[in-house]
Each structure stands twice: as structure tokens, then as C-alpha cells.
Amino acid sequence: MAKPKYYAMVITSHADDAEFGVAGTVAKWTREGKKVVYVVCTNGNKGTDDPKMKPEKLAEIREKEQIAAAETVGVDEVVFLRHDDQSLEDTPEFRKEIVRQIRIYRPDVVASTDPYRRYIWHRDHRITGQVVLDAVFPYARDRLAYLDMLKEGLEPHKVEEILLWGAEEPNYFSDITDTYDLKIAALRCHHSQVGHFSKEWGDFLRQRYEGFAKGQSFKLAEAFYRAEIWW
Ligand SMILES: [Zn+2]
């Protein structure tokens, strides 16, 4: 059954993608009282260099880290689809899973990874972005796309806005000056991924988000390709 309406849904391939891409903007939304849900498509069970780490153990750790990171920016709902890391494919089944989540939470805004980044880009990010775009339009919107969902009470839903991070040509810069510290605190929840968080790396990240705000009236930004869906 559908849940109370959410303002935004953040759909990621892995635990920690939201923190790099959109967590500063999410923190801004939740401060304004807007409800946000995360959907994490894989269990992240390949993201380690530790020769002693087992995939099952890593998946367990990463879910806990993701829940802590989400809570840090005011997100209390995280859905885990638990596909194996590096296994996502653009299939009718995966698309339907994403449509199901969109119809359950009915977000105005969907944020995910830009699938059109060229050359070096994690395959899971490319596939996730592509499947999310198709799920938003037309599959979540069209009444007859999934007759079985109608029977479950999952009505069609129109998403109004898409935000894609990792875009080569971003057209929207979200002011995260006041929530940057929360974004970094959320990122630091992912100990298994950013255990090496050094001062140098902190400086590097800050420069990156300062770079996105270049030419704007604020200091720190997250960058997106933004598209409004008006039909
Ligand atoms: Zn990722």
C-alpha cells in the first residue's frame, strides 16, 4: 500500500552515494520539515580492499552505516533492495522494483546518479540512473503499465522534478553552505569506506563543493542536472 506522501526519494546504487551526491541538499529539505526516503539498490558487498572482509559481513556493516548516515541528515526511512554490488542491469524486473518504490512513497522530487556521464563511471551508477529515469517516466506515471500494482493499491504517480548528480554539465547548484558539516558528518558514518578520512581529504572535498558554488552567491554547493517533468 502507498505510504504518506514524501517530498523526495533518493535512489542510489550503493551505501555512501547519497552522502557524496546529495546529502547537503537532503539536510536542507529535512530542516524545512520535508520527508525524504532513501532507496539503496545494492548491498555494497564488494566495496573493500580488506583481504579479511567477507561479502556478507560487509553488506551488514554497510546497511548500518547507511542508516546512521541517513539519520544524520534527518532521513528516517531507508529501503534496501539488496542486489549484489556490481550486478545491476537494466531489466524489466529492476525497473519494476523502482516503479514500486516511487508509487509507494509518491515523491515530488527524485534524485539519483546521472547515467550520461562518459568514460569513468561506476557501471552500477550508470545503470541505476538509466533505470530511474525510465521508471519515473513513463512507467510510474502510466496507469496501465503494471496492472498488478493497481490491484495492490499502488496508483500511478507523477514525479515533478529529477535531480542527477555526477553530471558532466550540471545546470542546477544547490546551496549547502549551512548543511555542509552535516553532509560531511553523514559521509563519515561510512567507516568501511572512508576510514582514511584525513585532513587532506577533507580539504579536497571542501574544494570540490566550493568549486560547484563558483560564480554563485553562496560558498558551497552540490551540483546537479535538473529536469522538470511537466507533461
Ligand atoms: Zn556508488
Side-chain angles (χ1 to χ4, degrees), residues 1-4 100 103-105 151-154:
M1 281 297 289
K3 302 231 181 188
R100 175 178 294 281
R103 288 192 181 189
I104 289 172
Y105 291 95
K151 283 188 198 145
E152 285 177 56
L154 296 176

Side-chain angles (χ1 to χ4, degrees), residues 20-74:
F20 281 108
V22 71
T25 303
V26 167
K28 218 164 59 161
W29 288 334
T30 59
R31 271 186 182 176
E32 292 165 6
K34 293 171 174 163
K35 284 170 81 70
V36 180
V37 54
Y38 285 0
V39 176
V40 183
C41 298
T42 78
N43 59 17
N45 65 354
K46 294 188 171 58
T48 187
D49 292 331
D50 179 354
K52 291 192 196 118
M53 182 60 79
K54 296 273 184 292
E56 307 75 37
K57 180 74 189 156
L58 181 60
E60 207 178 291
I61 291 169
R62 295 198 69 183
E63 280 199 10
K64 287 195 185 119
E65 290 174 346
Q66 182 61 83
I67 290 165
E71 281 172 357
T72 302
V73 293

Side-chain angles (χ1 to χ4, degrees), residues 104-208:
I104 289 172
Y105 291 95
R106 313 180 70 70
D108 294 333
V109 179
V110 167
S112 192
T113 40
D114 190 323
Y116 302 117
R117 186 184 177 117
R118 291 170 296 178
Y119 311 118
I120 308 303
W121 199 210
H122 197 301
R123 178 174 173 80
D124 284 341
H125 295 179
R126 192 182 308 122
I127 300 287
T128 299
Q130 183 171 313
V131 170
V132 165
L133 286 179
D134 290 340
V136 163
F137 174 83
Y139 291 84
R141 185 203 68 164
D142 283 1
R143 169 159 295 275
L144 300 181
Y146 299 104
L147 296 173
D148 54 336
M149 282 196 205
L150 294 179
K151 283 188 198 145
E152 285 177 56
L154 296 176
E155 292 289 321
H157 176 67
K158 267 185 171 176
V159 173
E160 291 169 12
E161 185 182 332
I162 288 273
L163 292 173
L164 300 168
W165 68 84
E168 290 182 344
E169 291 172 4
N171 63 357
Y172 178 69
F173 301 90
S174 167
D175 177 4
I176 59 161
T177 312
D178 293 340
T179 55
Y180 183 73
D181 290 346
L182 280 173
K183 174 185 174 78
I184 295 301
L187 190 54
R188 293 184 83 137
C189 292
H190 296 279
H191 301 290
S192 71
Q193 306 301 302
V194 300
H196 60 288
F197 205 112
S198 60
K199 187 187 173 304
E200 289 70 29
W201 201 58
D203 291 346
F204 166 79
L205 282 178
R206 195 176 174 89
Q207 277 170 20
R208 176 183 165 83

